[in-house]
Amino acid sequence: MSDAESAADAGFDEWLDAAEDGEAYALECANGHGSLPPRRVCPDCGSTDLEEVALPETGAVQTFTVTHVPTPAFEEDAPYATAIADFGSVGITGQVVGVDPGDVETGMTVELEITVSETTGERVIGFQPV
Ligand SMILES: [Zn+2]
């Protein structure tokens, strides 16, 4: 693994730590484009002037898919719903937890819940409906 890759991984781990403590944040450029770490450059406009801003406590499900036949890495977790939720300026992809996948709806209000994949044991972003 290159130095750049390990720095990137550390950045996201730190973000997961912050999210677990209820201190999730986004990186925003002066144009209001949001993204998640690790970033040094805005993915929308290329700005390198990124500022940490606190994420709203809740987000809204924008779109989702229900997976019944997962990839092997997630086979113990199926069926599950994967959603993209808007948290202010940033869209976050995560697995909806604590609810039957059939009950997930567009526009549903969710909060971040850092969870552990039953298959890989790694931390992943989850969404808990509120
Ligand atoms: Zn930008």
Side-chain angles (χ1 to χ4, degrees):
M1 185 181 285
S2 73
D3 287 348
E5 279 167 358
S6 42
D9 287 349
F12 190 64
D13 271 346
E14 284 167 18
W15 187 87
L16 287 171
D17 288 343
E20 278 186 331
D21 291 341
E23 295 170 358
Y25 58 91
L27 299 176
E28 249 180 45
C29 74
N31 294 319
H33 303 136
S35 58
L36 292 187
R39 290 274 181 201
R40 290 194 182 82
V41 178
C42 173
D44 289 315
C45 68
S47 169
T48 55
D49 186 15
L50 303 183
E51 188 178 350
E52 287 186 13
V53 296
L55 279 190
E57 282 183 25
T58 60
V61 171
Q62 187 183 65
T63 182
F64 67 94
T65 56
V66 177
T67 300
H68 296 280
V69 183
T71 58
F74 288 102
E75 61 185 356
E76 300 297 324
D77 298 291
Y80 58 87
T82 303
I84 299 174
D86 285 331
F87 284 77
S89 61
V90 64
I92 301 177
T93 302
Q95 189 170 324
V96 183
V97 298
V99 65
D100 189 281
D103 292 336
V104 177
E105 295 176 349
T106 302
M108 181 180 256
T109 302
V110 294
E111 55 185 19
L112 279 178
E113 172 82 36
I114 304 307
T115 182
V116 175
S117 165
E118 289 176 31
T119 307
T120 64
E122 300 205 344
R123 290 190 298 179
V124 293
I125 296 173
F127 298 133
Q128 176 82 50
V130 292

